[in-house]
Amino acid sequence: RQSLPGRSWLGWLQLAIAFWCFTAGLNALLDVTAQRIVVSKFQYLGIMALPVCWFEFARGYTRRPPPAMPWLIWVIPAATVGLAFSNDSHHLLWREIREVPTASGYVLLQYVHGPWFAMAASFTYVALASGTILLGMAIRTQPSQYRLQSLMLMAALVVPWIGNLLYVSGMIPIKGLDPTPVGFAVSGMFFAIGLFRYRLFDLVPVARTVLFDSLGDAAFVIDRVGRVVDSNAVARA
């Protein structure tokens, strides 16, 4: 999909999700607590890259102009990764890491968050919410012919949020278990189905402006296979 706006960021987004899921799975397979903590530190490479990639994909897909200083969006993620690897000396990210035995004998690790975690979480939610809003606004302008595409995109947006909210709110019955990576994996599945089955990204969002609807002449938007996907008021009349 060479012509897809934001396609590079979508690829990096899926790689960040894959890395997060891989490290989460590796963490579950290891038995030594010290090794699992090291893996958790590496996990933050995927965790903090994900919101940036999500926002940049949404910005590119909706054709929003880049910020004047694009590197600024990486400051908090880079600082968080650095604090994760040096946490033993300051405990700003994790105040304490507790071992939680389960009935099966497996030991879960419960990370008691430090003061910097609130900053990292706030940045993550703002970036994810901003990207979601941009994509949601684009979905509203899509014509009825692309309704299935919109449903697939909305499903991909909603599933990770549900998993993360369950984790943050403490509603998960198993302490220390974070379903967010699984939610993002399901999100990737929806993207794949929408991309290959429903041609999810064939239609680049069309900005419906006041000018477009107030034109005195009929105006149509035609996609690559000749379908009318948008029209102004005069054309519809």
Side-chain angles (χ1 to χ4, degrees):
R1 300 296 193 272
Q2 296 293 321
S3 61
L4 167 65
R7 68 181 182 88
S8 296
W9 285 112
L10 179 62
W12 286 113
L13 170 67
Q14 297 303 320
L15 285 175
I17 292 171
F19 186 80
W20 186 354
C21 292
F22 170 75
T23 50
L26 183 60
N27 195 310
L29 290 174
L30 293 172
D31 294 325
V32 181
T33 297
Q35 294 177 347
R36 295 170 68 185
I37 292 174
V38 171
V39 172
S40 295
K41 294 177 179 180
F42 276 97
Q43 194 171 11
Y44 266 82
L45 291 170
I47 292 174
M48 297 312 299
L50 189 148
V52 177
C53 295
W54 174 260
F55 174 78
E56 289 293 343
F57 160 66
R59 183 192 58 76
Y61 179 65
T62 57
R63 297 187 180 275
R64 303 282 174 154
M69 293 182 287
W71 55 269
L72 280 177
I73 198 172
W74 289 101
V75 171
I76 292 180
T80 303
V81 171
L83 292 175
F85 279 96
S86 60
N87 188 77
D88 295 341
S89 61
H90 50 68
H91 300 286
L92 289 174
L93 188 61
W94 304 312
R95 287 192 292 109
E96 182 184 358
I97 301 176
R98 300 171 182 169
E99 294 184 345
V100 182
T102 63
S104 63
Y106 181 76
V107 177
L108 286 171
L109 295 182
Q110 182 182 7
Y111 294 84
V112 181
H113 301 137
W116 181 263
F117 181 84
M119 174 68 73
S122 298
F123 168 83
T124 299
Y125 284 127
V126 169
L128 291 176
S130 300
T132 302
I133 290 171
L134 289 177
L135 289 173
M137 292 171 61
I139 287 174
R140 291 182 60 189
T141 66
Q142 287 185 337
S144 59
Q145 295 94 323
Y146 288 83
R147 192 163 295 152
L148 277 175
Q149 293 185 346
S150 302
L151 291 175
M152 283 291 172
L153 190 54
M154 286 306 298
L157 300 179
V158 168
V159 172
W161 280 98
I162 294 175
N164 191 255
L165 288 173
L166 289 173
Y167 172 69
V168 173
S169 63
M171 297 177 64
I172 300 297
I174 304 176
K175 292 183 179 180
L177 179 63
D178 184 1
T180 307
V182 179
F184 276 112
V186 174
S187 175
M189 180 188 70
F190 278 114
F191 272 123
I193 294 173
L195 182 66
F196 296 111
R197 183 173 179 84
Y198 297 109
R199 307 176 69 85
L200 177 61
F201 296 119
D202 275 11
L203 178 66
V204 175
V206 179
R208 290 186 58 97
T209 62
V210 175
L211 176 63
F212 182 70
D213 264 334
S214 62
L215 285 174
D217 295 321
F220 296 94
V221 179
I222 313 296
D223 69 6
R224 295 172 184 170
V225 295
R227 292 174 296 190
V228 177
V229 297
D230 206 354
S231 59
N232 66 350
V234 175
R236 290 190 295 272

mmCIF file of all heavy atoms in Angstrom, residues 145-181:
data_model
loop_
_atom_site.group_PDB
_atom_site.id
_atom_site.type_symbol
_atom_site.label_atom_id
_atom_site.label_comp_id
_atom_site.label_asym_id
_atom_site.label_seq_id
_atom_site.Cartn_x
_atom_site.Cartn_y
_atom_site.Cartn_z
ATOM 1 N N GLN A 145 -20.743 3.834 1.480
ATOM 2 C CA GLN A 145 -20.122 2.695 0.805
ATOM 3 C C GLN A 145 -18.969 2.106 1.611
ATOM 4 O O GLN A 145 -18.573 0.969 1.399
ATOM 5 C CB GLN A 145 -19.603 3.102 -0.586
ATOM 6 C CG GLN A 145 -20.693 3.499 -1.558
ATOM 7 C CD GLN A 145 -20.912 4.999 -1.543
ATOM 8 O OE1 GLN A 145 -20.826 5.640 -0.505
ATOM 9 N NE2 GLN A 145 -21.203 5.551 -2.721
ATOM 10 N N TYR A 146 -18.433 2.889 2.541
ATOM 11 C CA TYR A 146 -17.265 2.463 3.314
ATOM 12 C C TYR A 146 -17.623 2.220 4.774
ATOM 13 O O TYR A 146 -16.796 2.346 5.668
ATOM 14 C CB TYR A 146 -16.146 3.508 3.195
ATOM 15 C CG TYR A 146 -15.493 3.509 1.835
ATOM 16 C CD1 TYR A 146 -16.066 4.200 0.780
ATOM 17 C CD2 TYR A 146 -14.317 2.808 1.603
ATOM 18 C CE1 TYR A 146 -15.483 4.190 -0.479
ATOM 19 C CE2 TYR A 146 -13.724 2.791 0.352
ATOM 20 C CZ TYR A 146 -14.304 3.490 -0.681
ATOM 21 O OH TYR A 146 -13.731 3.475 -1.922
ATOM 22 N N ARG A 147 -18.897 1.876 5.034
ATOM 23 C CA ARG A 147 -19.343 1.693 6.413
ATOM 24 C C ARG A 147 -18.627 0.529 7.091
ATOM 25 O O ARG A 147 -18.273 0.605 8.267
ATOM 26 C CB ARG A 147 -20.856 1.475 6.429
ATOM 27 C CG ARG A 147 -21.478 1.569 7.818
ATOM 28 C CD ARG A 147 -22.967 1.763 7.707
ATOM 29 N NE ARG A 147 -23.290 3.039 7.081
ATOM 30 C CZ ARG A 147 -24.400 3.263 6.374
ATOM 31 N NH1 ARG A 147 -25.272 2.290 6.201
ATOM 32 N NH2 ARG A 147 -24.622 4.452 5.845
ATOM 33 N N LEU A 148 -18.411 -0.569 6.370
ATOM 34 C CA LEU A 148 -17.704 -1.708 6.941
ATOM 35 C C LEU A 148 -16.269 -1.337 7.306
ATOM 36 O O LEU A 148 -15.738 -1.791 8.312
ATOM 37 C CB LEU A 148 -17.713 -2.895 5.969
ATOM 38 C CG LEU A 148 -18.972 -3.758 5.982
ATOM 39 C CD1 LEU A 148 -18.899 -4.819 4.900
ATOM 40 C CD2 LEU A 148 -19.181 -4.403 7.346
ATOM 41 N N GLN A 149 -15.644 -0.511 6.478
ATOM 42 C CA GLN A 149 -14.308 -0.027 6.804
ATOM 43 C C GLN A 149 -14.322 0.739 8.121
ATOM 44 O O GLN A 149 -13.460 0.557 8.975
ATOM 45 C CB GLN A 149 -13.791 0.881 5.694
ATOM 46 C CG GLN A 149 -13.529 0.174 4.387
ATOM 47 C CD GLN A 149 -12.903 1.100 3.359
ATOM 48 O OE1 GLN A 149 -12.904 2.315 3.544
ATOM 49 N NE2 GLN A 149 -12.377 0.536 2.304
ATOM 50 N N SER A 150 -15.324 1.598 8.277
ATOM 51 C CA SER A 150 -15.428 2.390 9.497
ATOM 52 C C SER A 150 -15.614 1.501 10.720
ATOM 53 O O SER A 150 -15.016 1.735 11.772
ATOM 54 C CB SER A 150 -16.597 3.377 9.380
ATOM 55 O OG SER A 150 -16.418 4.223 8.271
ATOM 56 N N LEU A 151 -16.465 0.464 10.587
ATOM 57 C CA LEU A 151 -16.687 -0.441 11.710
ATOM 58 C C LEU A 151 -15.408 -1.180 12.088
ATOM 59 O O LEU A 151 -15.110 -1.358 13.278
ATOM 60 C CB LEU A 151 -17.797 -1.434 11.353
ATOM 61 C CG LEU A 151 -19.205 -0.849 11.222
ATOM 62 C CD1 LEU A 151 -20.179 -1.919 10.737
ATOM 63 C CD2 LEU A 151 -19.669 -0.262 12.555
ATOM 64 N N MET A 152 -14.641 -1.624 11.096
ATOM 65 C CA MET A 152 -13.384 -2.299 11.365
ATOM 66 C C MET A 152 -12.409 -1.364 12.074
ATOM 67 O O MET A 152 -11.729 -1.739 13.028
ATOM 68 C CB MET A 152 -12.761 -2.806 10.063
ATOM 69 C CG MET A 152 -13.409 -4.065 9.539
ATOM 70 S SD MET A 152 -13.053 -5.481 10.617
ATOM 71 C CE MET A 152 -14.121 -6.715 9.876
ATOM 72 N N LEU A 153 -12.339 -0.130 11.608
ATOM 73 C CA LEU A 153 -11.423 0.837 12.218
ATOM 74 C C LEU A 153 -11.836 1.144 13.645
ATOM 75 O O LEU A 153 -10.999 1.214 14.549
ATOM 76 C CB LEU A 153 -11.395 2.111 11.377
ATOM 77 C CG LEU A 153 -10.321 3.149 11.718
ATOM 78 C CD1 LEU A 153 -8.941 2.512 11.710
ATOM 79 C CD2 LEU A 153 -10.369 4.312 10.748
ATOM 80 N N MET A 154 -13.141 1.292 13.891
ATOM 81 C CA MET A 154 -13.612 1.575 15.238
ATOM 82 C C MET A 154 -13.342 0.398 16.171
ATOM 83 O O MET A 154 -12.968 0.581 17.329
ATOM 84 C CB MET A 154 -15.106 1.902 15.218
ATOM 85 C CG MET A 154 -15.434 3.280 14.660
ATOM 86 S SD MET A 154 -14.528 4.611 15.485
ATOM 87 C CE MET A 154 -15.126 4.451 17.167
ATOM 88 N N ALA A 155 -13.522 -0.826 15.682
ATOM 89 C CA ALA A 155 -13.223 -2.007 16.498
ATOM 90 C C ALA A 155 -11.747 -2.033 16.856
ATOM 91 O O ALA A 155 -11.370 -2.338 18.001
ATOM 92 C CB ALA A 155 -13.615 -3.275 15.747
ATOM 93 N N ALA A 156 -10.899 -1.701 15.887
ATOM 94 C CA ALA A 156 -9.464 -1.664 16.149
ATOM 95 C C ALA A 156 -9.118 -0.599 17.176
ATOM 96 O O ALA A 156 -8.178 -0.754 17.962
ATOM 97 C CB ALA A 156 -8.705 -1.407 14.847
ATOM 98 N N LEU A 157 -9.884 0.492 17.217
ATOM 99 C CA LEU A 157 -9.620 1.566 18.174
ATOM 100 C C LEU A 157 -10.081 1.202 19.584
ATOM 101 O O LEU A 157 -9.412 1.509 20.575
ATOM 102 C CB LEU A 157 -10.331 2.852 17.732
ATOM 103 C CG LEU A 157 -9.961 3.455 16.378
ATOM 104 C CD1 LEU A 157 -10.797 4.691 16.121
ATOM 105 C CD2 LEU A 157 -8.487 3.801 16.323
ATOM 106 N N VAL A 158 -11.235 0.542 19.682
ATOM 107 C CA VAL A 158 -11.886 0.354 20.980
ATOM 108 C C VAL A 158 -11.267 -0.773 21.804
ATOM 109 O O VAL A 158 -11.098 -0.640 23.028
ATOM 110 C CB VAL A 158 -13.402 0.085 20.767
ATOM 111 C CG1 VAL A 158 -14.060 -0.392 22.055
ATOM 112 C CG2 VAL A 158 -14.083 1.338 20.256
ATOM 113 N N VAL A 159 -10.882 -1.884 21.170
ATOM 114 C CA VAL A 159 -10.452 -3.070 21.909
ATOM 115 C C VAL A 159 -9.274 -2.794 22.853
ATOM 116 O O VAL A 159 -9.325 -3.160 24.037
ATOM 117 C CB VAL A 159 -10.119 -4.226 20.938
ATOM 118 C CG1 VAL A 159 -9.481 -5.389 21.673
ATOM 119 C CG2 VAL A 159 -11.384 -4.693 20.242
ATOM 120 N N PRO A 160 -8.186 -2.136 22.405
ATOM 121 C CA PRO A 160 -7.071 -1.886 23.338
ATOM 122 C C PRO A 160 -7.464 -0.995 24.508
ATOM 123 O O PRO A 160 -6.968 -1.170 25.626
ATOM 124 C CB PRO A 160 -6.011 -1.217 22.458
ATOM 125 C CG PRO A 160 -6.405 -1.498 21.066
ATOM 126 C CD PRO A 160 -7.875 -1.643 21.063
ATOM 127 N N TRP A 161 -8.345 -0.025 24.241
ATOM 128 C CA TRP A 161 -8.782 0.858 25.324
ATOM 129 C C TRP A 161 -9.489 0.069 26.422
ATOM 130 O O TRP A 161 -9.290 0.326 27.611
ATOM 131 C CB TRP A 161 -9.726 1.928 24.764
ATOM 132 C CG TRP A 161 -9.024 3.055 24.088
ATOM 133 C CD1 TRP A 161 -8.820 3.208 22.748
ATOM 134 C CD2 TRP A 161 -8.431 4.199 24.714
ATOM 135 N NE1 TRP A 161 -8.127 4.371 22.513
ATOM 136 C CE2 TRP A 161 -7.889 4.999 23.691
ATOM 137 C CE3 TRP A 161 -8.298 4.615 26.030
ATOM 138 C CZ2 TRP A 161 -7.222 6.199 23.947
ATOM 139 C CZ3 TRP A 161 -7.644 5.810 26.285
ATOM 140 C CH2 TRP A 161 -7.113 6.586 25.264
ATOM 141 N N ILE A 162 -10.315 -0.882 26.038
ATOM 142 C CA ILE A 162 -11.039 -1.689 27.022
ATOM 143 C C ILE A 162 -10.056 -2.464 27.891
ATOM 144 O O ILE A 162 -10.154 -2.473 29.128
ATOM 145 C CB ILE A 162 -12.023 -2.646 26.320
ATOM 146 C CG1 ILE A 162 -13.126 -1.850 25.624
ATOM 147 C CG2 ILE A 162 -12.620 -3.632 27.328
ATOM 148 C CD1 ILE A 162 -14.063 -2.713 24.799
ATOM 149 N N GLY A 163 -9.071 -3.118 27.252
ATOM 150 C CA GLY A 163 -8.084 -3.890 28.013
ATOM 151 C C GLY A 163 -7.282 -3.029 28.961
ATOM 152 O O GLY A 163 -7.057 -3.400 30.121
ATOM 153 N N ASN A 164 -6.876 -1.859 28.501
ATOM 154 C CA ASN A 164 -6.060 -0.995 29.353
ATOM 155 C C ASN A 164 -6.867 -0.403 30.498
ATOM 156 O O ASN A 164 -6.364 -0.296 31.627
ATOM 157 C CB ASN A 164 -5.442 0.121 28.513
ATOM 158 C CG ASN A 164 -4.374 0.889 29.273
ATOM 159 O OD1 ASN A 164 -4.606 2.013 29.701
ATOM 160 N ND2 ASN A 164 -3.211 0.286 29.450
ATOM 161 N N LEU A 165 -8.107 -0.026 30.242
ATOM 162 C CA LEU A 165 -8.943 0.520 31.308
ATOM 163 C C LEU A 165 -9.226 -0.529 32.379
ATOM 164 O O LEU A 165 -9.276 -0.212 33.576
ATOM 165 C CB LEU A 165 -10.251 1.058 30.725
ATOM 166 C CG LEU A 165 -10.137 2.353 29.919
ATOM 167 C CD1 LEU A 165 -11.459 2.692 29.249
ATOM 168 C CD2 LEU A 165 -9.690 3.511 30.809
ATOM 169 N N LEU A 166 -9.412 -1.785 31.972
ATOM 170 C CA LEU A 166 -9.599 -2.859 32.943
ATOM 171 C C LEU A 166 -8.366 -3.010 33.827
ATOM 172 O O LEU A 166 -8.473 -3.225 35.036
ATOM 173 C CB LEU A 166 -9.899 -4.170 32.222
ATOM 174 C CG LEU A 166 -11.273 -4.295 31.554
ATOM 175 C CD1 LEU A 166 -11.355 -5.582 30.744
ATOM 176 C CD2 LEU A 166 -12.384 -4.243 32.598
ATOM 177 N N TYR A 167 -7.180 -2.880 33.226
ATOM 178 C CA TYR A 167 -5.938 -3.025 33.986
ATOM 179 C C TYR A 167 -5.737 -1.857 34.944
ATOM 180 O O TYR A 167 -5.448 -2.041 36.132
ATOM 181 C CB TYR A 167 -4.757 -3.124 33.016
ATOM 182 C CG TYR A 167 -3.409 -3.091 33.693
ATOM 183 C CD1 TYR A 167 -2.986 -4.149 34.493
ATOM 184 C CD2 TYR A 167 -2.540 -2.021 33.516
ATOM 185 C CE1 TYR A 167 -1.743 -4.133 35.110
ATOM 186 C CE2 TYR A 167 -1.301 -1.996 34.121
ATOM 187 C CZ TYR A 167 -0.903 -3.051 34.915
ATOM 188 O OH TYR A 167 0.320 -3.016 35.529
ATOM 189 N N VAL A 168 -5.906 -0.630 34.436
ATOM 190 C CA VAL A 168 -5.666 0.557 35.266
ATOM 191 C C VAL A 168 -6.690 0.660 36.401
ATOM 192 O O VAL A 168 -6.361 1.065 37.515
ATOM 193 C CB VAL A 168 -5.687 1.823 34.391
ATOM 194 C CG1 VAL A 168 -5.616 3.076 35.251
ATOM 195 C CG2 VAL A 168 -4.515 1.800 33.406
ATOM 196 N N SER A 169 -7.936 0.262 36.134
ATOM 197 C CA SER A 169 -8.980 0.364 37.148
ATOM 198 C C SER A 169 -8.909 -0.754 38.188
ATOM 199 O O SER A 169 -9.641 -0.725 39.175
ATOM 200 C CB SER A 169 -10.361 0.348 36.477
ATOM 201 O OG SER A 169 -10.577 -0.886 35.810
ATOM 202 N N GLY A 170 -8.040 -1.733 37.960
ATOM 203 C CA GLY A 170 -7.909 -2.830 38.912
ATOM 204 C C GLY A 170 -9.019 -3.851 38.830
ATOM 205 O O GLY A 170 -9.210 -4.635 39.764
ATOM 206 N N MET A 171 -9.751 -3.895 37.720
ATOM 207 C CA MET A 171 -10.862 -4.829 37.587
ATOM 208 C C MET A 171 -10.427 -6.217 37.124
ATOM 209 O O MET A 171 -11.245 -7.124 37.050
ATOM 210 C CB MET A 171 -11.905 -4.259 36.618
ATOM 211 C CG MET A 171 -12.551 -2.965 37.083
ATOM 212 S SD MET A 171 -13.715 -2.278 35.879
ATOM 213 C CE MET A 171 -14.968 -3.577 35.843
ATOM 214 N N ILE A 172 -9.130 -6.371 36.796
ATOM 215 C CA ILE A 172 -8.622 -7.682 36.426
ATOM 216 C C ILE A 172 -8.502 -8.535 37.693
ATOM 217 O O ILE A 172 -7.856 -8.118 38.657
ATOM 218 C CB ILE A 172 -7.246 -7.562 35.736
ATOM 219 C CG1 ILE A 172 -7.369 -6.704 34.473
ATOM 220 C CG2 ILE A 172 -6.692 -8.933 35.388
ATOM 221 C CD1 ILE A 172 -8.272 -7.285 33.432
ATOM 222 N N PRO A 173 -9.098 -9.717 37.751
ATOM 223 C CA PRO A 173 -9.079 -10.517 38.982
ATOM 224 C C PRO A 173 -7.691 -11.013 39.366
ATOM 225 O O PRO A 173 -7.426 -11.260 40.543
ATOM 226 C CB PRO A 173 -10.009 -11.700 38.657
ATOM 227 C CG PRO A 173 -10.055 -11.762 37.171
ATOM 228 C CD PRO A 173 -9.901 -10.356 36.692
ATOM 229 N N ILE A 174 -6.775 -11.123 38.397
ATOM 230 C CA ILE A 174 -5.413 -11.583 38.688
ATOM 231 C C ILE A 174 -4.496 -10.374 38.772
ATOM 232 O O ILE A 174 -4.290 -9.671 37.782
ATOM 233 C CB ILE A 174 -4.911 -12.556 37.607
ATOM 234 C CG1 ILE A 174 -5.871 -13.738 37.468
ATOM 235 C CG2 ILE A 174 -3.509 -13.060 37.937
ATOM 236 C CD1 ILE A 174 -5.505 -14.694 36.349
ATOM 237 N N LYS A 175 -3.943 -10.103 39.951
ATOM 238 C CA LYS A 175 -3.073 -8.954 40.127
ATOM 239 C C LYS A 175 -1.818 -9.096 39.271
ATOM 240 O O LYS A 175 -1.210 -10.151 39.212
ATOM 241 C CB LYS A 175 -2.673 -8.810 41.597
ATOM 242 C CG LYS A 175 -3.823 -8.415 42.506
ATOM 243 C CD LYS A 175 -3.341 -8.217 43.929
ATOM 244 C CE LYS A 175 -4.477 -7.784 44.847
ATOM 245 N NZ LYS A 175 -4.016 -7.591 46.240
ATOM 246 N N GLY A 176 -1.443 -7.970 38.631
ATOM 247 C CA GLY A 176 -0.240 -7.971 37.824
ATOM 248 C C GLY A 176 -0.461 -8.377 36.379
ATOM 249 O O GLY A 176 0.450 -8.248 35.556
ATOM 250 N N LEU A 177 -1.664 -8.885 36.029
ATOM 251 C CA LEU A 177 -1.933 -9.311 34.664
ATOM 252 C C LEU A 177 -2.459 -8.126 33.856
ATOM 253 O O LEU A 177 -3.470 -7.529 34.204
ATOM 254 C CB LEU A 177 -2.961 -10.441 34.652
ATOM 255 C CG LEU A 177 -3.356 -10.984 33.274
ATOM 256 C CD1 LEU A 177 -2.146 -11.607 32.591
ATOM 257 C CD2 LEU A 177 -4.477 -11.994 33.393
ATOM 258 N N ASP A 178 -1.757 -7.772 32.780
ATOM 259 C CA ASP A 178 -2.133 -6.643 31.931
ATOM 260 C C ASP A 178 -2.607 -7.172 30.579
ATOM 261 O O ASP A 178 -1.818 -7.705 29.799
ATOM 262 C CB ASP A 178 -0.925 -5.713 31.738
ATOM 263 C CG ASP A 178 -1.283 -4.465 30.944
ATOM 264 O OD1 ASP A 178 -2.468 -4.319 30.569
ATOM 265 O OD2 ASP A 178 -0.382 -3.639 30.702
ATOM 266 N N PRO A 179 -3.915 -7.048 30.268
ATOM 267 C CA PRO A 179 -4.434 -7.558 28.995
ATOM 268 C C PRO A 179 -4.231 -6.598 27.824
ATOM 269 O O PRO A 179 -4.656 -6.899 26.705
ATOM 270 C CB PRO A 179 -5.926 -7.737 29.291
ATOM 271 C CG PRO A 179 -6.230 -6.653 30.265
ATOM 272 C CD PRO A 179 -4.984 -6.493 31.121
ATOM 273 N N THR A 180 -3.588 -5.452 28.062
ATOM 274 C CA THR A 180 -3.440 -4.447 27.006
ATOM 275 C C THR A 180 -2.723 -4.981 25.768
ATOM 276 O O THR A 180 -3.160 -4.727 24.641
ATOM 277 C CB THR A 180 -2.723 -3.203 27.544
ATOM 278 O OG1 THR A 180 -3.381 -2.735 28.723
ATOM 279 C CG2 THR A 180 -2.736 -2.090 26.513
ATOM 280 N N PRO A 181 -1.590 -5.710 25.920
ATOM 281 C CA PRO A 181 -0.934 -6.237 24.709
ATOM 282 C C PRO A 181 -1.844 -7.139 23.884
ATOM 283 O O PRO A 181 -1.806 -7.108 22.660
ATOM 284 C CB PRO A 181 0.268 -7.013 25.264
ATOM 285 C CG PRO A 181 0.522 -6.439 26.611
ATOM 286 C CD PRO A 181 -0.828 -6.030 27.131
#
